[in-house]
Amino acid sequence: MRIGELAAATGVEPETIRYYEREALLAPPQRQANGYRDYGKQQLERLAFIRHCRALDIPLADIRQLINFLDQPDGDCGDIDRLIHAQLVRVRARLQSMRALEQQLTELRKRCDSRHAMTECGILHELVAAAHGEACICHGEFPITPIKP
Amino acid sequence: MRIGELAAATGVEPETIRYYEREALLAPPQRQANGYRDYGKQQLERLAFIRHCRALDIPLADIRQLINFLDQPDGDCGDIDRLIHAQLVRVRARLQSMRALEQQLTELRKRCDSRHAMTECGILHELVAAAHGEACICHGEFPITPIKP
DNA sequence: CTTGACCCTATAGTGACTATAAGGTTTTAA
DNA sequence: TTAAAACCTTATAGTCACTATAGGGTCAAG
């Protein structure tokens, strides 16, 4: 299987496949006589595994870990659980802040329900008010807060 | 006001302030005799405005736009509304996929409620099953799907 | 007079790709 | 048969919004 076929089979761009190889998530494949990469079914499954993990937003470094776990089948399963749990914690934190964000933007948008001149735009007004240190619909009494990672 | 004071006043790191200047979100400030940046109240408010927008996860390019709008007060307010709306659409899309993600990870974690050997770990099992193209708790019948941006 | 806290610029690193340049090979169509 | 297109190769740079580092200059306190 050439890289393009693998790409078509998995929905992963050839560039990305080569990137995974550079990042040591995929082993360097065999080469055809002309130097083209030659993949087998095993490689396809590994790539599918990676993509499945990525669909769960698991970072590449963690996927590398999971692959290591796969290769040593007598290890402790607790490591895997911890890894997935950590991911869940990350996702929940992000979810929290996204929910707040949606609220804030929805509120903000209500401030400008029809066309005004810029100077009378409720949205811009709110944004500027916040910049003056006033309480705002978005962030209450303390408008300027450090952004969480 | 020196850059450190501005940083303390806004909770933005000096590095980040200099970065905003390079990115033309903040005008180059006056300089003291020794070459140190010298900020006034206006600059502080502009920085607060930027941070407030960033707290709403608005990209720097869009903030540049908003600043342009601020500087021409006779423009059309509809542009602002469109910009905020676009941001809301982005946030909602991301929120959707984060919700799904939480579900999937929660389900996945249920597969391994106690300590097993690696080979019997339900989590790893599910992940590998998906890689084989089987239906999975995470993604149903079509486990490998392109990731949305 | 030296230590430490600031400030300056320029450059590189982060994560997970994505795009480009500059070339080689293979397949397809005229 | 030949020429174009569609593929492959490597290496390098760009994306976003910072963050960190290197290598220096300035300034007040002890």
Side-chain angles (χ1 to χ4, degrees):
Chain A
M1 214 194 308
R2 296 193 306 189
I3 200 169
E5 300 172 85
L6 181 60
T10 55
V12 182
E13 300 249 321
E15 296 293 343
T16 306
I17 296 170
R18 283 190 279 259
Y19 168 72
Y20 287 159
E21 187 184 328
R22 280 201 301 282
E23 294 297 305
L25 289 157
L26 290 170
Q30 287 187 300
R31 298 290 182 136
Q32 292 171 353
N34 55 13
Y36 289 12
R37 287 173 178 80
D38 194 11
Y39 294 99
K41 209 177 168 217
Q42 272 201 335
Q43 316 266 72
L44 186 147
E45 277 174 21
R46 172 137 302 187
L47 180 55
F49 177 83
I50 294 168
R51 287 317 273 187
H52 193 72
C53 293
R54 286 296 301 134
L56 294 168
D57 218 19
I58 296 170
L60 294 189
D62 286 9
I63 298 173
R64 234 188 307 263
Q65 283 247 55
L66 286 172
I67 287 171
N68 280 351
F69 292 154
L70 272 175
D71 289 346
Q72 51 171 159
D74 51 345
D76 181 16
C77 165
D79 291 335
I80 293 169
D81 189 58
R82 266 187 291 283
L83 199 149
I84 298 296
H85 181 62
Q87 178 61 13
L88 190 51
V89 167
R90 274 198 293 274
V91 166
R92 283 196 179 134
R94 187 96 182 105
L95 199 49
Q96 273 267 58
S97 74
M98 294 303 285
R99 270 196 270 262
L101 221 51
E102 199 212 351
Q103 260 311 148
Q104 289 155 12
L105 285 165
T106 302
E107 279 301 316
L108 193 56
R109 223 164 89 79
K110 279 189 199 154
R111 302 286 146 152
C112 185
D113 44 4
S114 62
R115 249 166 266 153
H116 312 276
M118 283 282 177
T119 40
E120 280 138 45
C121 178
I123 293 175
L124 215 49
H125 230 72
E126 277 289 336
L127 254 23
V128 171
H132 281 254
E134 294 165 27
C136 61
I137 44 167
C138 310
H139 300 108
E141 279 186 74
F142 308 105
I144 307 158
T145 45
I147 295 167
K148 293 148 210 164
Chain B
M1 211 194 313
R2 294 193 307 188
I3 199 169
E5 299 173 84
L6 181 60
T10 54
V12 181
E13 302 249 320
E15 295 292 345
T16 306
I17 296 170
R18 283 190 278 260
Y19 168 72
Y20 287 158
E21 187 184 327
R22 280 201 301 282
E23 294 297 304
L25 288 157
L26 290 170
Q30 285 188 301
R31 298 289 182 138
Q32 293 170 354
N34 54 14
Y36 288 11
R37 286 174 179 81
D38 195 10
Y39 294 99
K41 209 177 168 220
Q42 272 201 335
Q43 316 266 73
L44 187 147
E45 278 174 20
R46 172 139 300 188
L47 180 54
F49 178 83
I50 293 169
R51 287 317 272 186
H52 192 71
C53 292
R54 286 297 300 135
L56 293 169
D57 218 21
I58 296 170
L60 295 189
D62 284 10
I63 298 174
R64 233 187 309 263
Q65 281 249 56
L66 286 172
I67 287 171
N68 280 350
F69 292 155
L70 273 175
D71 290 345
Q72 53 171 161
D74 51 346
D76 181 16
C77 165
D79 291 335
I80 293 170
D81 188 57
R82 264 186 292 282
L83 198 149
I84 297 296
H85 181 63
Q87 178 61 11
L88 191 50
V89 167
R90 273 197 294 273
V91 166
R92 283 194 180 137
R94 188 95 183 107
L95 200 47
Q96 274 265 57
S97 74
M98 295 303 285
R99 271 196 270 262
L101 222 49
E102 199 211 352
Q103 263 308 147
Q104 290 156 10
L105 286 165
T106 303
E107 279 301 316
L108 193 56
R109 223 163 89 79
K110 280 189 198 154
R111 303 286 146 149
C112 184
D113 44 4
S114 61
R115 249 167 264 152
H116 313 274
M118 284 281 176
T119 40
E120 279 137 47
C121 178
I123 293 175
L124 216 48
H125 230 73
E126 276 288 337
L127 255 22
V128 170
H132 281 255
E134 293 165 28
C136 61
I137 45 168
C138 310
H139 301 109
E141 280 187 72
F142 308 105
I144 308 157
T145 44
I147 294 167
K148 293 148 207 163

